[in-house]
Amino acid sequence: MVVSSMAMLLLGAVLLVAQPQLVPSRPAALGAEPSQQELLRKVGTLQDDIREGTATNGSAQQLPQTIIIGVRKGGTRALLEMLSLHPDVAAAENEVHFFDWEEHYSHGLGWYLSQMPFSSPHQLTVEKTPAYFTSSKVPERVHSMNPSIRLLLILRDPSERVLSDYTQVFYNHLQKHKPYPSIEEFLVRDGRLNVEYKALNRSLYHVHMQNWLRFFPLRHIHIVDGDRLIRDPFPEIQKVERFLKLSPQINASNFYFNKTKGFYCLRDSGRDRCLHESKGRAHPQVDPKLLSKLHEYFHEPNRKFFELVGRTFDWH
């Protein structure tokens, strides 16, 4: 009886120590918070990680309360950098690929927590992995971790996104001095548009969005207009601040247009910084007829997406 009582007391003490770190302190969730029982169930292997991941200044590693889920070549890096201007945001530096890579997911939430930045209790932890949006298994896994999480999805004109997708892979090969086929060789097969090309599939937004809406209500997903973010970033970031319940700290003076690079850069506490040179690369020249076929191919999928999310975008 004495041993049993001592074991119960020790378990209770561990849970009381670990519990506060698992509850996001702010901003307020858009939906119902996970129940106390659910949070305690998830403590498991996180107990030791939380104790190890607490700094002497009171900051700690927290599971993300917001995830930028995609889309690849939609402007996720720009969005994260702009959002990081806010003092109440702590962003993971690298793409974690926890929910879509089996090797990482098998390590459990303790490993995921260890990938997060140290943050103060009042800060919002954010991570971005663009591949999440197009991975069929990710929505359920994210929901299992936190059904009240807020999701950011940044999208561009699907045709432009395809060209950006190709351009990135092309330059990756170029840097390694490896040959890479022209975009026409990917887009056309037997005289027709090659619908098996993976870059095309990633731009079928309605297909992937339907999967996310099986697990999250639309009010938990904020769609950032990636094309507008490029042209005029401040209004789009204001919308993100409101969605995340952040105080309005980012302002127009944080952005300036760099004529040399041809896109907006950031100004933070007197320090100027631009995105990596790999961003904003010129797309390959595409035959106008082929481009027209590409626009035509996305016409119906775009209509379905607009209907799904209840808004339209200025896409071809």
Side-chain angles (χ1 to χ4, degrees), residues 162-171 180-183 186 197 284:
V162 169
L163 299 181
S164 291
D165 202 318
Y166 169 84
T167 301
Q168 174 175 295
V169 181
F170 171 79
Y171 275 99
Y180 197 65
S182 69
I183 191 168
F186 285 103
Y197 182 32

Side-chain angles (χ1 to χ4, degrees), residues 56 90 113 192 216 268:
T56 55
L113 178 68
R192 296 183 178 182
F216 294 96
D268 185 18

Side-chain angles (χ1 to χ4, degrees), residues 126-191:
V126 180
E127 82 112 327
K128 86 159 181 89
T129 301
Y132 287 165
F133 180 58
T134 56
S135 175
S136 60
K137 59 197 170 188
V138 169
E140 184 175 11
R141 290 176 171 182
V142 174
H143 184 271
S144 178
M145 180 190 72
N146 182 1
S148 298
I149 198 165
R150 276 145 299 176
L151 305 169
L152 293 173
L153 171 63
I154 180 167
L155 301 175
R156 295 178 61 197
D157 181 312
S159 299
E160 291 296 315
R161 200 218 63 79
V162 169
L163 299 181
S164 291
D165 202 318
Y166 169 84
T167 301
Q168 174 175 295
V169 181
F170 171 79
Y171 275 99
N172 287 343
H173 280 70
L174 192 65
Q175 289 171 353
K176 297 173 184 177
H177 305 289
K178 294 182 178 180
Y180 197 65
S182 69
I183 191 168
E184 285 80 8
E185 292 178 66
F186 285 103
L187 285 175
V188 179
R189 178 176 293 173
D190 299 325

Side-chain angles (χ1 to χ4, degrees), residues 82-96:
M82 293 174 186
L83 192 54
S84 296
L85 291 168
H86 201 290
D88 291 344
V89 168
E93 290 186 11
N94 302 313
E95 294 177 6
V96 183

